[in-house]
Amino acid sequence: MAEIVGAVFEFCWEFGIERAYRRWGWFGGVAVFMAPFLIVGAIIAVALNV
């Protein structure tokens, strides 16, 4: 299981965060890193307000 999680994390890092960092600098890297947390947080906030 740890190998699968590691592979998924590495894939997301290489093709998401690294690519955004090279294209848009620190802002892009941080934005791509934070996006999943912000989306999940927004979904939870909407679910709790209903």
Side-chain angles (χ1 to χ4, degrees), residues 2-50:
E3 293 86 8
I4 295 170
V5 172
V8 169
F9 180 77
E10 186 174 342
F11 176 79
C12 292
W13 187 269
E14 289 293 325
F15 292 103
I17 297 171
E18 282 284 328
R19 185 171 288 175
Y21 174 72
R22 282 191 223 118
R23 187 168 187 177
W24 296 300
W26 280 103
F27 179 74
V30 170
V32 170
F33 179 76
M34 293 299 293
F37 299 108
L38 295 174
I39 291 168
V40 171
I43 291 170
I44 292 171
V46 169
L48 290 177
N49 283 333
V50 171

